[in-house]
Structure formats: C-alpha cells, structure tokens
Amino acid sequence: MWKLLRGRSREAESFKEQGNAYYAKKDYNEAYNYYTKAIDMCPKNASYYGNRAATLMMLGRFREALGDAQQSVRLDDSFVRGHLREGKCHLSLGNAMAACRSFQRALELDHKNTQAQQEFKNANAVMEYEKIAEMDFEKRDFRKVVFCMDRALEFAPACHRFKILKAECLAMLGRYPEAQSVASDILRIDSTNADALYVRGLCLYYEDCIEKAVQFFVQALRMAPDHEKACIACRNAKALKAKKEDGNKAFKEGNYKLAYELYTEALGIDPNNIKTNAKLYCNRGTVNSKLRKLDDAIEDCTNAVKLDDTYIKAYLRRAQCYTDTEQYEEAVRDYEKVYQTEKTKEHKQLLKNAQLELKRSKRKDYYKILGVDKNASEDEIKKAYRKRALMHHPDRHSGASAEVQKEEEKKFKEVGEAFTILSDPKKKTRYDSGQDLDEEGMNTADFDANNIFKAFFGGPGGFSFEASGPGNFFFQFG
C-alpha cells in the first residue's frame, strides 16, 4: 500500500514537472491538463491546486482559479502563494474586501513579502475607486465614474459589476458603441446576465430604437424579475413610444392642438432620452409652425439641435421658420450647416434661396415703399406711385420744419426710385431675382425723382401745391 502511494506520488510529481514545463512555455492549456492529472493522482497536495490556480488565472478563468486557490489554503493554511493567488482572484473579480483579507493573511505569514504589500495597496485603491464612483454616479458625473471604473478594472479585469457600471455611464454619456461593446463582451461569456441585457436595451433606447430596447428590457426582467432599472426603463420606453405615436396620429389627422399636447406630455417622460426628445421637440416645432406660432417653433427646433447637433430635420425646420419671420441671416446659417453635413442638390438650392432672400432683405424694399404686394399689377403700381408721390412731394411740405422737409424729400425720391424699377419689366425682373441693379446702367443713384414725377403726370410746365383751405392742398400744373 505504501509502495502504491509512493508510486502515485512520484507520478503526480512527474505530471507537475511537465505542467511546469508547459507553463514556462506559456502553453497554459497543456499545463492545466498536467496539473489536473497531478491533482487526480494526489488530491491532497496544496501546491498542485496552487499551480493549477496560477494556470487558470493566466487563461482568464478567475472563478475556477479562485476555487483552486481556496482549496490550496484549506489544505495548507501556511501556503503563502496560495493566499496571494486567492487574493489576486478576488481582486480580479472585483471583491476587493475579500482580497484584502487574503493579502493580510499572506503578510501575517511573511510580513516582508513585497508582492503581498503591493497587492494589498491595489485592493485598497480599488475600494476607494468604488466609493468615489458610487458618489459620482449619484451626482450624475458619469465621466468621473467611467474614469474610476477604468482605473479599478486595471486591477479587476474580470469584474462584470465594474464593466456594467462603466457601460451604463457610457450610455448615459451618449457613447453607445462603447457601451454596447462592453455589454456584448459580457453576454458572450454569460448570455443570461440581466445587467448586460439592461445596458444593451438602454443603448437602443437612447438611440431611439425603442421597440428593440423593450425586447432587451423584457429579457433582462425574465432573468431578474426584480431588476429595478430594467423595470423603470421598460415602463418609460413603452410610455414614450405610445405618446409619440399618438402625437404623430393626431398630427396626420390635422388635430394640431392635440398633437402639441401629446408631444409635450411625451417630453416629460424621460429627460435623459436625448435622441427621442430631440425628435419630439422637432415634431412639436412642426406643430407650432402649422399653428403659425413661429417663435415657439424656432424655440422648439433650437432645443432639438441642442440635444442633437446632427439633427438635420430640426435645422431645416428652424431655417424655414427663420425665413418665414424674415430672419434671413439665421436662415442662411442653418442652411449652411445642413449643406456642410449633407451636400445634396436640394440642400444647395435651399441655401442659395436663403442667400438670395438675405441679399434682398438688405436692399430697399420697393414694394414696401409703394405700399403694394409683391404680386401687384402694373395698374396697382401706378396708382400706388400716384398716391405716394403726391403725399411726399416737397412742395406739399414747404411750410414744414427743415427736419420734416428733409425726411419727406427722402421719401419722395425713394417713391420715384421704386416706381422706376417696378414699372420697368426688365428692371423689375432683375430686382425680383435678387440681381444687382447697378449692372447694365441701372445705377439707382442716378434717378431724378422730379423728372420721374413730371414724366408720370405729363405736365407741360411747372407744378405746385396750393392751399385750398387749412391743411388742404391741390396739385396744379403751370
């Protein structure tokens, strides 16, 4: 019996040595196999479990490694490397407090052990990062939480809890691809991880893929029915989807007042859902534009682009509202932003039109000067000139103060200039199209208002305004 045990012990040692050789070559799978053979031959040897724990750690299988490390110190409580490996596994899995206990035990056995001293410091650092992250999460300082989790994960690379917290904060910061990547990595290892399923759903929810998001939230709740965050997110997602769809339906039916109310209610459901809220603001802005509440529409579109500065539809809607309220510089700015983002023919034309309107707005508005509509007929333009020319003629105001005379003379000249342009089809066409009138000899500075007046009224000689009573004048040709 003794010989048999001795033979098994020698064979176990042989397996261990072969395992060591493979470990040195970094062939950890083969090393694992030989350490396992050694354990099968001699299951009471602490060092075999310790070696296999070290191999499993190199393979990233920390939970299995923890079991072997714990078995090694159960067999031999004085096994320092066993305590170190147990602590390292606890730390890698994110249990810093348990790691501290293991490292403390290693230091009790060997107080000069530098590895134990350093790992003890690392475990305390992780506990501090956890504490700071918890406080910062409450403050909604998600960037700081991500920073703390990145530092903690340097010491705890296998901690799903830290990864999930980081992923959740990345989602809250709008860094959805990064958050999705972290959650997906966890789900590849553990497809039933409710926290990872929740984060996947959260990313989809914040990217306005609400139906898919609900599917992930429901799946998370199947895995963990008491998952509070998944429950709240699922409820918000369903409510948001319903309100938005109801608002869209009311809008299509022309019930703008109801649509406005529904979009407003939807905006109050979850202020953290930036993309969906941006669309809701833009939708409400469209409703306001239909109700001719253009300032409110501009404000809604501004809120939309504040939430999502890549939202082309909101820029286009606001630009149209700016145009409708004759804020042409702002309209041009928005159309430029759109064209820089999406260089389509349609966007180029919209920008060109806005630039033309801006150019027109900086010129004299001849239609306004004559008091006629832009679609006024030739007769309407003539009637308007007759009325305004007589109203502002200098002779009519000869008894007024110098200041009034100067102002009326200016208006008289502008009326003449406006009539000259709008009564000439060629000049009117150039004016309406926004072209420069100074080209082709159309210099407005050369207009003589008196000559225009004489030509229009066709008087053979001079003309004057004579009083027929207090405050009354009549026009008389000489």
Side-chain angles (χ1 to χ4, degrees):
M1 185 65 169
W2 180 81
K3 285 183 179 180
L4 180 63
L5 291 173
R6 190 175 177 184
R8 291 177 69 87
S9 180
R10 279 200 300 269
E11 194 173 359
E13 276 297 305
S14 174
F15 287 140
K16 186 193 84 167
E17 291 303 324
Q18 289 178 77
N20 289 348
Y22 281 113
Y23 188 94
K25 293 177 187 177
K26 298 184 179 180
D27 188 345
Y28 302 118
N29 286 311
E30 277 302 306
Y32 172 82
N33 290 335
Y34 278 98
Y35 290 140
T36 300
K37 289 178 181 179
I39 289 170
D40 290 342
M41 285 291 178
C42 193
K44 299 295 183 182
N45 188 305
S47 69
Y48 296 169
Y49 285 100
N51 286 6
R52 192 169 72 172
T55 304
L56 287 165
M57 288 167 70
M58 296 306 294
L59 290 168
R61 294 157 60 180
F62 291 101
R63 291 203 178 277
E64 296 171 73
L66 177 60
D68 275 355
Q70 288 174 328
Q71 179 63 11
S72 75
V73 296
R74 275 195 292 268
L75 293 169
D76 180 4
D77 187 52
S78 65
F79 186 26
V80 175
R81 280 188 294 175
H83 287 293
L84 285 170
R85 285 165 185 157
E86 181 187 6
K88 189 70 174 173
C89 288
H90 278 308
L91 186 56
S92 295
L93 292 165
N95 192 343
M97 191 172 289
C100 280
R101 288 196 294 267
S102 296
F103 296 137
Q104 280 177 324
R105 179 58 184 150
L107 287 168
E108 288 170 8
L109 295 166
D110 179 7
H111 69 277
K112 291 183 179 180
N113 190 300
T114 55
Q115 184 185 354
Q117 290 170 355
Q118 184 57 54
E119 294 292 2
F120 184 74
K121 288 180 182 177
N122 293 345
N124 277 291
V126 169
M127 284 195 288
E128 186 62 23
Y129 285 129
E130 277 193 84
K131 184 180 176 183
I132 294 169
E134 187 179 345
M135 290 189 293
D136 287 328
F137 190 87
E138 289 298 318
K139 296 175 187 174
R140 301 184 65 79
D141 189 349
F142 302 120
R143 284 184 177 80
K144 187 78 174 290
V145 178
V146 171
F147 172 83
C148 288
M149 289 301 95
D150 279 337
R151 301 291 80 75
L153 283 163
E154 290 173 7
F155 303 113
C159 181
H160 286 180
R161 185 163 47 86
F162 292 170
K163 289 178 181 179
I164 288 294
L165 181 56
K166 175 186 174 180
E168 185 176 357
C169 290
L170 287 170
M172 299 300 283
L173 291 168
R175 293 160 63 178
Y176 307 119
E178 294 172 77
Q180 289 268 32
S181 177
V182 174
S184 296
D185 286 344
I186 293 171
L187 289 169
R188 273 192 288 272
I189 299 166
D190 178 11
S191 62
T192 64
N193 189 297
D195 291 323
L197 290 167
Y198 160 71
V199 170
R200 283 291 305 276
L202 195 66
C203 291
L204 290 165
Y205 172 61
Y206 285 148
E207 288 183 291
D208 198 40
C209 300
I210 295 179
E211 280 190 39
K212 288 183 180 179
V214 168
Q215 292 172 11
F216 275 97
F217 294 144
V218 169
Q219 198 176 346
L221 289 167
R222 283 201 198 103
M223 299 300 113
D226 296 328
H227 199 295
E228 187 179 356
K229 288 182 178 179
C231 186
I232 293 170
C234 191
R235 186 168 64 244
N236 284 345
K238 288 179 178 178
L240 203 51
K241 180 175 179 289
K243 285 290 181 188
K244 186 181 176 186
E245 288 177 351
D246 288 347
N248 293 347
K249 184 172 181 287
F251 179 82
K252 286 176 183 176
E253 292 173 353
N255 192 341
Y256 302 129
K257 184 179 178 182
L258 177 59
Y260 177 89
E261 290 171 358
L262 289 165
Y263 289 140
T264 301
E265 287 173 17
L267 281 164
I269 292 171
D270 185 1
N272 294 319
N273 194 322
I274 291 170
K275 279 209 169 183
T276 302
N277 287 343
K279 290 183 179 181
L280 288 168
Y281 272 120
C282 187
N283 287 1
R284 196 173 72 175
T286 304
V287 171
N288 276 322
S289 69
K290 290 288 186 182
L291 295 169
R292 303 312 295 167
K293 296 179 179 179
L294 297 178
D295 289 339
D296 290 342
I298 289 169
E299 184 180 352
D300 276 340
C301 292
T302 299
N303 285 328
V305 297
K306 279 181 182 176
L307 292 176
D308 181 2
D309 64 0
T310 66
Y311 194 13
I312 296 298
K313 189 177 177 182
Y315 283 110
L316 288 171
R317 171 60 56 195
R318 187 171 70 174
Q320 183 59 55
C321 291
Y322 278 140
T323 301
D324 292 342
T325 54
E326 299 183 0
Q327 299 179 67
Y328 300 116
E329 288 186 9
E330 289 82 356
V332 167
R333 184 189 63 219
D334 277 354
Y335 283 128
E336 283 176 341
K337 170 75 174 177
V338 169
Y339 185 62
Q340 286 167 8
T341 306
E342 291 183 1
K343 288 182 165 54
T344 66
K345 287 183 179 179
E346 182 186 357
H347 294 160
K348 185 177 182 179
Q349 188 59 49
L350 287 169
L351 173 59
K352 188 176 179 182
N353 292 345
Q355 289 170 333
L356 179 60
E357 290 297 333
L358 175 61
K359 188 176 181 181
R360 285 172 176 167
S361 71
K362 292 183 176 179
R363 302 179 310 172
K364 291 177 182 177
D365 187 340
Y366 292 140
Y367 292 102
K368 190 174 182 180
I369 289 170
L370 289 182
V372 295
D373 184 78
K374 290 183 179 181
N375 298 315
S377 65
E378 186 178 344
D379 284 344
E380 287 172 330
I381 290 170
K382 286 181 178 179
K383 286 178 183 178
Y385 172 69
R386 175 186 294 275
K387 178 182 176 182
R388 301 266 171 159
L390 292 172
M391 184 187 300
H392 299 298
H393 195 285
D395 286 357
R396 185 170 187 173
H397 304 281
S398 58
S401 66
E403 186 178 347
V404 169
Q405 286 185 35
K406 186 177 180 181
E407 181 62 26
E408 291 299 326
E409 184 178 356
K410 178 185 174 185
K411 289 179 179 178
F412 178 68
K413 288 179 179 178
E414 285 181 342
V415 166
E417 183 181 320
F419 178 68
T420 300
I421 298 301
L422 299 183
S423 63
D424 185 309
K426 183 180 178 182
K427 293 176 184 178
K428 184 176 184 293
T429 299
R430 290 183 65 83
Y431 175 77
D432 287 342
S433 64
Q435 297 180 61
D436 289 329
L437 296 173
D438 289 343
E439 295 176 8
E440 298 185 17
M442 297 184 189
N443 191 337
T444 56
D446 295 336
F447 293 139
D448 187 320
N450 286 315
N451 287 339
I452 295 166
F453 185 86
K454 288 176 183 178
F456 182 84
F457 285 99
F463 55 88
S464 64
F465 283 87
E466 296 183 0
S468 61
N472 296 315
F473 295 84
F474 66 89
F475 174 71
Q476 179 181 14
F477 286 105

